[in-house]
């Protein structure tokens, strides 16, 4: 064979063999090819599945397993494509987070992954499926690596060793393995394959007119053709893209990066514009007092401080409290579990809305027929006071008073504290406890006792300003204080016993 040196030291002795890793461009694990050299540079390459015989005097050349990747006029030239990398397969964790630019829900699955010459193949069941022939019509999921970008990522997942692959169509995949060396091997192989395919596609696009393609009898025209004619898509070689994506979805790396940059800049500009408009709106926004003076926002009843509400209404007891007390005493004294049973919350909120909007309403109307709705609204009114009926500065004083052992002395201390309360608090408390005394007169029918009422109204009428103590202990004191005042209300408030 021309260009080869064969020594005749012994008959039948084989020529020296070249190991696969000694051939430039051949990845470990692949089957190297034999090159039959010829004196004429125009001869085609002849490739067989045997070991490579190489002339030691000649520099090593890049060898391709596919003829169609090379032209007979540029063998070994600068535009030659490296041998594709093939990985038989391995179990990796895969997640698809985007398809065609549309984000998807991330769902990790353990998948048998195979790297082919131009794409990644994903097998669902096991590696046996990849090693055996698939049934007709059954094909594994695949990812085209033509124009794909492979890079490490730490933002798309909290897992470690995550590889992100972005295809030319805008789809994004995540591959992950617990072993760094395993995923690093796949990262290098996928990146090399994508780069080889991109080089092959670029070399194909730059073919000069008048040169015949390999394995083809078709000649390209030598003279000027319109640019549209030259840019018509040609059948892709099998080594490049088995499934070529649509032209409108094929984007190079530079185009993909520039589109991302443009989007982020425009998105940032939009955010700055929104911030500026919000700042102008906030600076020009009228105050709450101005809106209330113009009647745009009306004063609330629920959640309004008791002193301010009574001052606005010109009374020492809120009108809503009086209306609820009258309605309950009119048709709810014998209701089972009065104040203990909860009413329908939606109906209670409806009543609250009408009260806050100062709309005229009648608690005897059919929509308020359930008396537990009225009692629920009254309890909500006291719970939503910014400062409870027993003001914050008096909380510890009432707790110390309830600890007094002698009963008469305890009554006198409680009465003294009640007389020290602001007038709206004192009068509202007197009306409420007189009403609760009326509830107790029908205890045999409504099944309510002083202890039951104190459990309901203890945390409703008083609570500490700062929850720094034991909540359970505070609740015990709350219930005891309300129960004691309820029992001794005739003496404390000067009421007549019923």
């Amino acid at each position: 064979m021309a260009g080869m040196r064969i020594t005749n030291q012994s008959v039948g002795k084989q020529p020296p063999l070249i190991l696969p890793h000694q051939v430039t461009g051949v990845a470990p694990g692949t089957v190297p090819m034999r090159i039959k050299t010829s004196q004429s540079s125009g001869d085609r390459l002849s490739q067989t599945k045997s070991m490579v015989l190489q002339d030691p005097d000649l520099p090593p050349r890049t060898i391709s397993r596919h003829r169609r990747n090379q032209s007979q006029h540029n063998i070994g030239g600068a535009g030659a494509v490296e041998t594709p990398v093939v990985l038989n397969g391995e179990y990796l964790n895969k997640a698809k987070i985007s398809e065609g630019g549309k984000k998807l829900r991330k769902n990790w699955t353990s998948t048998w992954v195979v790297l082919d010459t131009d794409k990644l193949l994903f097998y669902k069941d096991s590696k046996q499926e990849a090693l055996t022939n698939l049934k007709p019509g059954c094909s594994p999921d695949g990812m085209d690596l033509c124009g794909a970008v492979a890079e490490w990522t730490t933002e798309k997942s909290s897992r470690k060793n995550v590889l992100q692959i972005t295809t030319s169509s805008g789809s994004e995949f995540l591959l992950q393995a617990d072993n760094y060396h395993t995923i690093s091997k796949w990262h290098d192989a996928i990146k090399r394959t994508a780069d080889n395919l991109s080089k092959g596609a670029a070399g194909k696009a730059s073919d000069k007119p008048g040169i015949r393609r390999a394995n083809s009898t078709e000649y390209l025209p030598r003279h000027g053709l319109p640019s549209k004619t030259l840019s018509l898509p040609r059948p892709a070689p099998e080594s490049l893209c088995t499934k070529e994506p649509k032209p409108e979805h094929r984007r190079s790396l530079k185009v993909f990066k520039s589109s991302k940059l443009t989007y982020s800049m425009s998105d940032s500009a939009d955010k700055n514009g929104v911030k500026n408009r919000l700042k102008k709106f906030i600076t020009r926004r009228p105050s709450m007092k101005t809106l209330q003076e113009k009647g745009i926002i009306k004063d609330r009843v629920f959640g309004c401080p008791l002193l301010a509400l009574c001052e606005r209404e010109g009374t020492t007891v809120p009108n809503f409290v009086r209306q609820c007390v009258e309605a309950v005493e009119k048709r709810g004294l014998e209701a089972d579990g009065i104040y203990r049973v909860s009413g329908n919350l939606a109906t209670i909120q409806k009543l609250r809305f009408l009260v806050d909007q100062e709309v005229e309403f009648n608690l005897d109307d059919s929509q308020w027929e359930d008396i537990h709705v009225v009692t629920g609204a009254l309890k909500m009114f006291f719970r939503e006071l910014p400062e409870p009926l027993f003001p914050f500065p008096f909380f510890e004083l009432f707790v110390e008073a309830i600890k007094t052992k002698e009963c008469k002395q305890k009554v006198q201390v409680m009465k003294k504290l009640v007389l020290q309360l602001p007038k709206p608090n004192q009068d509202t408390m007197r009306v409420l406890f007189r009403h609760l005394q009326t509830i107790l007169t029908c205890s045999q029918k409504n099944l309510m006792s002083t202890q039951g009422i104190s459990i309901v109204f203890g945390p409703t009428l008083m609570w500490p300003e700062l929850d720094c103590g034991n909540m359970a202990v505070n609740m015990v004191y709350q219930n005891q204080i309300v129960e004691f005042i309820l029992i001794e209300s005739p003496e404390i408030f000067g009421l007549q016993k019923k």
Side-chain angles (χ1 to χ4, degrees), residues 201-391:
K204 175 185 173 182
S206 61
D207 286 345
K208 295 182 180 180
I211 301 177
R212 186 176 67 181
R213 301 176 193 162
N215 292 345
S216 175
T217 58
E218 178 186 358
Y219 281 85
L220 296 177
R222 296 180 178 273
H223 300 289
L225 285 177
S227 59
K228 292 183 179 180
T229 305
L230 293 177
S231 62
L232 289 175
R234 295 177 294 176
E238 295 179 359
S239 61
L240 291 180
C241 299
T242 305
K243 293 182 180 180
E244 184 175 357
K246 295 182 180 180
E248 60 266 18
H249 295 302
R250 296 188 64 181
R251 296 180 293 180
S252 64
L253 179 59
K254 293 182 180 179
V255 175
F256 185 73
K257 287 187 176 180
S258 62
S259 64
K260 276 191 172 181
L261 180 61
T262 305
Y263 173 77
S264 62
M265 292 176 61
S266 62
D267 186 48
S268 178
D270 293 341
K271 288 183 179 179
N272 292 333
V274 172
K275 289 181 179 179
N276 293 332
R277 289 194 296 270
L278 285 176
K279 288 181 180 178
K280 292 181 180 179
F281 172 76
I282 293 174
T283 55
R284 297 175 182 175
R285 183 181 62 180
S287 62
M288 180 68 69
K289 184 177 180 180
T290 304
L291 295 176
Q292 291 176 351
E293 291 176 353
K294 293 182 178 180
I296 298 176
I297 296 180
K298 296 184 178 181
D299 295 328
R300 298 174 299 169
V301 175
F302 283 77
C304 181
L306 187 61
L307 296 178
L309 180 59
C310 292
E311 182 180 355
R312 192 174 74 216
E313 295 180 349
T315 181
T316 55
V317 180
N319 294 330
F320 180 68
V321 174
R322 290 188 181 275
Q323 289 175 311
C324 292
V325 167
E326 293 174 0
V328 173
E329 292 183 355
K330 182 178 180 180
R331 55 188 177 91
L333 291 179
E334 298 181 358
D336 185 11
I338 190 69
Y339 285 111
R340 178 174 54 81
V341 178
S342 301
N344 184 273
L345 182 58
T347 310
I348 294 174
Q349 292 289 1
K350 183 179 180 181
L351 177 59
R352 170 188 175 170
F353 176 78
L354 296 178
V355 174
D356 281 339
Q357 296 297 318
E358 296 183 355
V359 178
E360 293 184 2
F361 62 92
N362 184 7
L363 291 180
D364 293 331
D365 192 271
S366 59
Q367 59 181 333
W368 324 120
E369 181 179 3
D370 185 6
I371 195 63
H372 299 298
V373 171
V374 179
T375 58
L378 181 60
K379 290 186 293 183
M380 180 181 288
F381 171 82
F382 285 112
R383 282 197 301 266
E384 295 199 2
L385 287 174
E387 188 175 29
L389 189 61
F390 289 77

Side-chain angles (χ1 to χ4, degrees), residues 54 73 80 84 141 167 196 240 244 248 318 324 328 354 402 408 410 416 443 472 474 482:
Q54 183 175 349
H73 300 282
D141 295 335
T167 64
N196 291 346
L240 291 180
E244 184 175 357
E248 60 266 18
C324 292
V328 173
L354 296 178
I402 200 63
K408 290 184 179 181
K410 187 187 300 185
K416 185 178 179 180
S443 59
N474 290 337
V482 172

Side-chain angles (χ1 to χ4, degrees), residues 133-206:
N133 294 327
L134 296 174
K135 297 180 180 179
C138 298
S139 59
D141 295 335
M143 177 205 308
D144 189 5
L145 296 179
C146 185
V149 180
E151 55 188 358
W152 298 106
T153 180
T154 57
E155 300 177 354
K156 299 300 179 65
S157 176
S158 59
R159 299 189 178 191
K160 62 180 181 178
N161 307 330
V162 179
L163 169 64
Q164 177 182 350
I165 305 174
T166 305
T167 64
S168 60
S169 61
S171 299
E172 296 180 359
F173 293 81
L174 298 180
L175 294 180
Q176 187 267 344
D178 295 334
N179 190 338
Y180 172 76
H181 298 287
T182 300
I183 196 65
S184 177
K185 173 186 64 177
W186 283 88
H187 169 270
D188 298 340
I190 293 173
K191 188 173 182 62
R192 188 191 307 175
T193 301
D195 293 343
N196 291 346
L197 294 175
S198 299
K199 292 179 182 178
K204 175 185 173 182
S206 61

Side-chain angles (χ1 to χ4, degrees), residues 4 10 19 27 64 67 189 195 224 268 282 299 303 415 452 479 491:
M4 306 298 295
S10 61
L19 297 178
S64 174
R67 302 181 189 179
D195 293 343
S268 178
I282 293 174
D299 295 328
K415 184 176 181 179
N479 297 346
E491 180 67 24

Side-chain angles (χ1 to χ4, degrees), residues 454-466:
S454 64
I455 291 175
V456 173
F457 280 94
T460 302
L461 300 181
M462 64 184 306
W463 58 85
E465 184 174 8
L466 299 176

Side-chain angles (χ1 to χ4, degrees), residues 388-443:
L389 189 61
F390 289 77
F392 291 132
F394 289 84
F395 181 83
E396 293 296 335
L397 298 177
F398 277 102
V399 171
E400 292 298 326
I402 200 63
K403 295 179 182 179
T404 306
K405 295 182 179 180
E406 209 276 322
C407 183
K408 290 184 179 181
Q409 184 180 358
K410 187 187 300 185
V411 172
Q412 294 302 322
V413 174
M414 289 286 185
K415 184 176 181 179
K416 185 178 179 180
L417 290 176
V418 169
L419 292 177
Q420 294 177 5
L421 296 176
K423 189 65 174 175
N425 296 71
Q426 183 179 339
D427 292 350
T428 303
M429 195 179 298
R430 179 182 290 107
V431 171
L432 179 61
F433 278 96
R434 180 191 289 121
H435 168 65
L436 297 179
Q437 278 284 346
T438 306
I439 295 293
L440 290 175
T441 58
C442 302
S443 59

